[in-house]
Amino acid sequence: MSRRNNELNGRELDTVSRSVSKQVTSFDEAFKAFLKDAERRGLREFTLIFYRKELNSFRRYLEMRDHSLLIHDITRKDIDTFVVDMQADNRKTTTINSRLRAVRAFFNWLVDNKYLADGEIAKISLLKDRKNNIETFTVKQLHALLNATDKRTFTGQRDYTFLLLLLETGIRLNEATGILVEDVKLSEGLIFIRNTKNHYHRYVPIQAKMKEQIRRYLRLRGTAETDALFVTLDGTAMTRSTLQKIVGKYGNLADIKGVRCSPHTLRHTFAKMSVMNGAGIFELQKILGHSTMEMVKTYVNLFSTEVHDKHREFSPLNNL
């Protein structure tokens, strides 16, 4: 009998490092504990849905390959193969990175909570993605979109208010879904945004046209069973998925082509028009609720006319 190696391998290190209370070994048990802890930490329901969706996708992948569903049998190579197979299926880089973020968060949590000893598996890098041109609506398309609403109906006035609000403030869909009537401060020209991505509440400003439309909508809305700003004909809160379809609905009615009709396109359009009208990066970051300057700088680089205007002054061809 050959002498065994004195150095413990990864699985053996896991065995000695885990406490008795942390003997969770199956993917499903670990996943359940991960979600329970995420709920305890107060993560948004939208984030929990994201983790469930993307990690279940990874689990199905392991099952299809007849791979063991014990977390200690999952290696970095399995994750790399997961990426290669998604690329072979022509998945978008954004889709692949979305799943990798969920897998990375899961395995980081397993390492941090002593379910796994080897932290190398959690060191997952996202794929580099070339920045695509950011889609925005033209002024003509915006007019067509807004005019497609039937303002003689309650739902038309509600949807018109929703579209205007996204364009006026650049808030995210999830943020708009979470607005309550009490969050609208018309006298101050502000709306309180509570359902934020980074858990930092903020106020966004609104101007005269937006305030007047919200006043009109609130009179039509009246009292309802819910405190949510946007309600159905039955007086119940509009869901995120229902609000998400509004831009696409009126985009189809307006026959808008060549641009994705979505709430996020209105957010990009707000950013573009704000930059072109001279908004500063700090004001833009605060209104949009970005935790870093990266995306704001992207907007400025794409849409600022300052370089173009200055080029008129220093163009070498001026003196030829």
Side-chain angles (χ1 to χ4, degrees), residues 95-127:
T95 301
I96 296 174
N97 281 340
S98 183
R99 290 180 179 170
L100 284 179
R101 284 188 182 94
V103 171
R104 182 168 65 182
F106 180 48
F107 279 97
N108 269 319
W109 183 86
L110 291 175
V111 171
D112 290 344
N113 287 273
K114 311 302 181 186
Y115 293 120
L116 292 176
D118 184 7
E120 287 301 313
I121 191 172
K123 295 178 181 178
I124 303 167
S125 299
L126 301 180
L127 301 184

Short mmCIF file of all heavy atoms in Angstrom, two decimals, residues 95-127:
data_model
loop_
_atom_site.label_atom_id
_atom_site.label_comp_id
_atom_site.label_asym_id
_atom_site.label_seq_id
_atom_site.Cartn_x
_atom_site.Cartn_y
_atom_site.Cartn_z
N THR A 95 -26.14 38.40 -20.80
CA THR A 95 -26.84 37.26 -20.21
C THR A 95 -25.88 36.38 -19.43
O THR A 95 -26.16 35.96 -18.31
CB THR A 95 -27.54 36.43 -21.29
OG1 THR A 95 -28.48 37.25 -21.99
CG2 THR A 95 -28.27 35.23 -20.69
N ILE A 96 -24.73 36.10 -20.04
CA ILE A 96 -23.72 35.25 -19.38
C ILE A 96 -23.23 35.92 -18.10
O ILE A 96 -23.14 35.28 -17.04
CB ILE A 96 -22.53 34.98 -20.33
CG1 ILE A 96 -23.01 34.18 -21.55
CG2 ILE A 96 -21.42 34.23 -19.61
CD1 ILE A 96 -21.94 34.00 -22.62
N ASN A 97 -22.94 37.21 -18.17
CA ASN A 97 -22.46 37.92 -16.98
C ASN A 97 -23.51 37.98 -15.89
O ASN A 97 -23.18 37.94 -14.69
CB ASN A 97 -22.02 39.34 -17.36
CG ASN A 97 -20.64 39.35 -18.01
OD1 ASN A 97 -19.86 38.41 -17.85
ND2 ASN A 97 -20.33 40.41 -18.72
N SER A 98 -24.76 38.07 -16.28
CA SER A 98 -25.85 38.08 -15.29
C SER A 98 -25.85 36.78 -14.49
O SER A 98 -25.96 36.78 -13.26
CB SER A 98 -27.19 38.28 -15.99
OG SER A 98 -28.24 38.37 -15.06
N ARG A 99 -25.69 35.66 -15.19
CA ARG A 99 -25.66 34.36 -14.51
C ARG A 99 -24.39 34.20 -13.69
O ARG A 99 -24.42 33.63 -12.59
CB ARG A 99 -25.80 33.24 -15.54
CG ARG A 99 -27.19 33.19 -16.15
CD ARG A 99 -27.39 32.11 -17.16
NE ARG A 99 -28.77 32.17 -17.65
CZ ARG A 99 -29.22 31.49 -18.69
NH1 ARG A 99 -28.41 30.69 -19.37
NH2 ARG A 99 -30.49 31.59 -19.07
N LEU A 100 -23.29 34.71 -14.20
CA LEU A 100 -22.04 34.62 -13.45
C LEU A 100 -22.10 35.43 -12.16
O LEU A 100 -21.54 35.03 -11.14
CB LEU A 100 -20.87 35.11 -14.32
CG LEU A 100 -20.38 34.14 -15.41
CD1 LEU A 100 -19.25 34.78 -16.20
CD2 LEU A 100 -19.91 32.82 -14.80
N ARG A 101 -22.78 36.57 -12.19
CA ARG A 101 -22.91 37.38 -10.97
C ARG A 101 -23.64 36.60 -9.89
O ARG A 101 -23.28 36.65 -8.71
CB ARG A 101 -23.66 38.68 -11.28
CG ARG A 101 -22.83 39.72 -12.00
CD ARG A 101 -23.56 41.05 -12.10
NE ARG A 101 -22.77 42.02 -12.84
CZ ARG A 101 -22.89 42.24 -14.15
NH1 ARG A 101 -23.80 41.57 -14.84
NH2 ARG A 101 -22.13 43.14 -14.74
N ALA A 102 -24.69 35.89 -10.29
CA ALA A 102 -25.44 35.10 -9.32
C ALA A 102 -24.61 33.94 -8.79
O ALA A 102 -24.58 33.68 -7.59
CB ALA A 102 -26.73 34.58 -9.97
N VAL A 103 -23.92 33.24 -9.68
CA VAL A 103 -23.07 32.10 -9.27
C VAL A 103 -21.95 32.59 -8.36
O VAL A 103 -21.64 31.97 -7.34
CB VAL A 103 -22.50 31.39 -10.52
CG1 VAL A 103 -21.45 30.35 -10.10
CG2 VAL A 103 -23.62 30.71 -11.30
N ARG A 104 -21.36 33.73 -8.72
CA ARG A 104 -20.27 34.29 -7.90
C ARG A 104 -20.77 34.67 -6.51
O ARG A 104 -20.11 34.39 -5.51
CB ARG A 104 -19.67 35.51 -8.61
CG ARG A 104 -18.51 36.13 -7.86
CD ARG A 104 -17.78 37.13 -8.73
NE ARG A 104 -18.60 38.29 -9.09
CZ ARG A 104 -18.18 39.27 -9.88
NH1 ARG A 104 -16.96 39.23 -10.40
NH2 ARG A 104 -18.97 40.29 -10.15
N ALA A 105 -21.94 35.31 -6.45
CA ALA A 105 -22.50 35.70 -5.15
C ALA A 105 -22.77 34.47 -4.29
O ALA A 105 -22.51 34.46 -3.08
CB ALA A 105 -23.79 36.49 -5.36
N PHE A 106 -23.27 33.41 -4.91
CA PHE A 106 -23.59 32.18 -4.20
C PHE A 106 -22.34 31.54 -3.61
O PHE A 106 -22.27 31.21 -2.42
CB PHE A 106 -24.29 31.21 -5.16
CG PHE A 106 -24.67 29.89 -4.57
CD1 PHE A 106 -25.35 29.80 -3.35
CD2 PHE A 106 -24.37 28.70 -5.24
CE1 PHE A 106 -25.71 28.57 -2.81
CE2 PHE A 106 -24.74 27.48 -4.71
CZ PHE A 106 -25.40 27.41 -3.51
N PHE A 107 -21.30 31.38 -4.44
CA PHE A 107 -20.09 30.70 -3.97
C PHE A 107 -19.28 31.58 -3.01
O PHE A 107 -18.63 31.07 -2.10
CB PHE A 107 -19.24 30.22 -5.15
CG PHE A 107 -19.75 28.93 -5.74
CD1 PHE A 107 -20.58 28.94 -6.86
CD2 PHE A 107 -19.45 27.71 -5.15
CE1 PHE A 107 -21.07 27.76 -7.39
CE2 PHE A 107 -19.95 26.52 -5.66
CZ PHE A 107 -20.76 26.54 -6.79
N ASN A 108 -19.34 32.88 -3.20
CA ASN A 108 -18.72 33.77 -2.20
C ASN A 108 -19.38 33.60 -0.85
O ASN A 108 -18.71 33.59 0.19
CB ASN A 108 -18.83 35.24 -2.67
CG ASN A 108 -17.63 35.67 -3.48
OD1 ASN A 108 -16.50 35.34 -3.17
ND2 ASN A 108 -17.89 36.40 -4.55
N TRP A 109 -20.70 33.49 -0.87
CA TRP A 109 -21.44 33.30 0.39
C TRP A 109 -21.07 31.96 1.03
O TRP A 109 -20.90 31.87 2.25
CB TRP A 109 -22.94 33.36 0.11
CG TRP A 109 -23.78 33.25 1.35
CD1 TRP A 109 -24.17 34.26 2.18
CD2 TRP A 109 -24.35 32.05 1.89
NE1 TRP A 109 -24.93 33.77 3.21
CE2 TRP A 109 -25.06 32.41 3.06
CE3 TRP A 109 -24.32 30.71 1.51
CZ2 TRP A 109 -25.73 31.48 3.85
CZ3 TRP A 109 -25.00 29.78 2.29
CH2 TRP A 109 -25.70 30.17 3.44
N LEU A 110 -20.92 30.92 0.21
CA LEU A 110 -20.55 29.60 0.73
C LEU A 110 -19.18 29.64 1.40
O LEU A 110 -18.97 29.04 2.45
CB LEU A 110 -20.54 28.57 -0.40
CG LEU A 110 -21.91 28.19 -0.99
CD1 LEU A 110 -21.72 27.25 -2.19
CD2 LEU A 110 -22.80 27.55 0.05
N VAL A 111 -18.24 30.36 0.78
CA VAL A 111 -16.90 30.47 1.35
C VAL A 111 -16.93 31.31 2.64
O VAL A 111 -16.37 30.92 3.67
CB VAL A 111 -15.92 31.09 0.33
CG1 VAL A 111 -14.58 31.40 0.99
CG2 VAL A 111 -15.73 30.15 -0.86
N ASP A 112 -17.62 32.46 2.58
CA ASP A 112 -17.68 33.35 3.74
C ASP A 112 -18.33 32.69 4.94
O ASP A 112 -18.00 32.99 6.10
CB ASP A 112 -18.46 34.63 3.39
CG ASP A 112 -17.69 35.52 2.42
OD1 ASP A 112 -16.47 35.31 2.27
OD2 ASP A 112 -18.32 36.41 1.81
N ASN A 113 -19.28 31.79 4.68
CA ASN A 113 -20.01 31.14 5.77
C ASN A 113 -19.50 29.74 6.08
O ASN A 113 -20.20 28.94 6.72
CB ASN A 113 -21.51 31.11 5.44
CG ASN A 113 -22.15 32.48 5.54
OD1 ASN A 113 -22.59 32.89 6.61
ND2 ASN A 113 -22.18 33.20 4.42
N LYS A 114 -18.28 29.44 5.59
CA LYS A 114 -17.55 28.22 5.95
C LYS A 114 -18.18 26.93 5.43
O LYS A 114 -17.89 25.85 5.94
CB LYS A 114 -17.39 28.11 7.49
CG LYS A 114 -16.88 29.35 8.18
CD LYS A 114 -15.53 29.77 7.65
CE LYS A 114 -15.02 31.01 8.38
NZ LYS A 114 -13.75 31.51 7.78
N TYR A 115 -19.02 27.04 4.40
CA TYR A 115 -19.51 25.81 3.77
C TYR A 115 -18.45 25.23 2.84
O TYR A 115 -18.42 24.05 2.56
CB TYR A 115 -20.79 26.08 2.98
CG TYR A 115 -21.97 26.45 3.84
CD1 TYR A 115 -22.62 27.68 3.69
CD2 TYR A 115 -22.44 25.58 4.80
CE1 TYR A 115 -23.71 28.01 4.48
CE2 TYR A 115 -23.53 25.92 5.60
CZ TYR A 115 -24.15 27.13 5.43
OH TYR A 115 -25.23 27.46 6.21
N LEU A 116 -17.58 26.12 2.33
CA LEU A 116 -16.46 25.72 1.49
C LEU A 116 -15.19 26.36 2.04
O LEU A 116 -15.23 27.50 2.52
CB LEU A 116 -16.67 26.17 0.04
CG LEU A 116 -17.79 25.51 -0.76
CD1 LEU A 116 -17.90 26.16 -2.13
CD2 LEU A 116 -17.55 24.01 -0.92
N ALA A 117 -14.09 25.64 1.94
CA ALA A 117 -12.83 26.18 2.44
C ALA A 117 -12.02 26.84 1.33
O ALA A 117 -11.27 27.78 1.57
CB ALA A 117 -12.00 25.06 3.08
N ASP A 118 -12.17 26.32 0.10
CA ASP A 118 -11.37 26.80 -1.01
C ASP A 118 -12.05 28.02 -1.64
O ASP A 118 -13.09 27.90 -2.29
CB ASP A 118 -11.19 25.69 -2.04
CG ASP A 118 -10.28 26.10 -3.18
OD1 ASP A 118 -9.70 27.20 -3.09
OD2 ASP A 118 -10.14 25.33 -4.14
N GLY A 119 -11.45 29.19 -1.46
CA GLY A 119 -12.05 30.40 -2.00
C GLY A 119 -11.77 30.64 -3.46
O GLY A 119 -12.34 31.56 -4.06
N GLU A 120 -10.95 29.82 -4.09
CA GLU A 120 -10.61 30.02 -5.50
C GLU A 120 -11.83 29.90 -6.40
O GLU A 120 -11.93 30.60 -7.41
CB GLU A 120 -9.54 29.01 -5.94
CG GLU A 120 -8.16 29.29 -5.39
CD GLU A 120 -7.64 30.65 -5.80
OE1 GLU A 120 -7.74 31.00 -6.99
OE2 GLU A 120 -7.15 31.37 -4.91
N ILE A 121 -12.76 29.03 -6.05
CA ILE A 121 -13.93 28.81 -6.89
C ILE A 121 -14.79 30.06 -6.98
O ILE A 121 -15.51 30.28 -7.95
CB ILE A 121 -14.78 27.62 -6.37
CG1 ILE A 121 -15.83 27.24 -7.42
CG2 ILE A 121 -15.42 27.93 -5.04
CD1 ILE A 121 -16.58 25.97 -7.10
N ALA A 122 -14.70 30.91 -5.96
CA ALA A 122 -15.52 32.12 -5.94
C ALA A 122 -14.90 33.28 -6.71
O ALA A 122 -15.54 34.31 -6.92
CB ALA A 122 -15.79 32.54 -4.49
N LYS A 123 -13.65 33.12 -7.14
CA LYS A 123 -12.96 34.20 -7.86
C LYS A 123 -13.30 34.14 -9.35
O LYS A 123 -12.49 33.78 -10.19
CB LYS A 123 -11.45 34.10 -7.64
CG LYS A 123 -11.04 34.32 -6.19
CD LYS A 123 -9.55 34.17 -6.00
CE LYS A 123 -9.16 34.36 -4.53
NZ LYS A 123 -7.70 34.17 -4.31
N ILE A 124 -14.55 34.50 -9.63
CA ILE A 124 -15.08 34.39 -10.99
C ILE A 124 -15.06 35.77 -11.64
O ILE A 124 -15.64 36.71 -11.13
CB ILE A 124 -16.53 33.85 -10.96
CG1 ILE A 124 -16.57 32.49 -10.25
CG2 ILE A 124 -17.09 33.74 -12.37
CD1 ILE A 124 -17.96 32.03 -9.90
N SER A 125 -14.40 35.86 -12.77
CA SER A 125 -14.34 37.13 -13.49
C SER A 125 -15.45 37.18 -14.53
O SER A 125 -15.76 36.17 -15.18
CB SER A 125 -12.99 37.29 -14.19
OG SER A 125 -11.94 37.30 -13.24
N LEU A 126 -16.03 38.35 -14.69
CA LEU A 126 -17.06 38.54 -15.71
C LEU A 126 -16.39 38.68 -17.08
O LEU A 126 -15.22 39.04 -17.19
CB LEU A 126 -17.89 39.78 -15.41
CG LEU A 126 -18.61 39.81 -14.07
CD1 LEU A 126 -19.40 41.11 -13.93
CD2 LEU A 126 -19.55 38.62 -13.92
N LEU A 127 -17.13 38.37 -18.12
CA LEU A 127 -16.62 38.52 -19.47
C LEU A 127 -16.56 40.00 -19.84
O LEU A 127 -17.42 40.79 -19.43
CB LEU A 127 -17.53 37.80 -20.47
CG LEU A 127 -17.73 36.30 -20.26
CD1 LEU A 127 -18.59 35.73 -21.39
CD2 LEU A 127 -16.40 35.56 -20.20
#
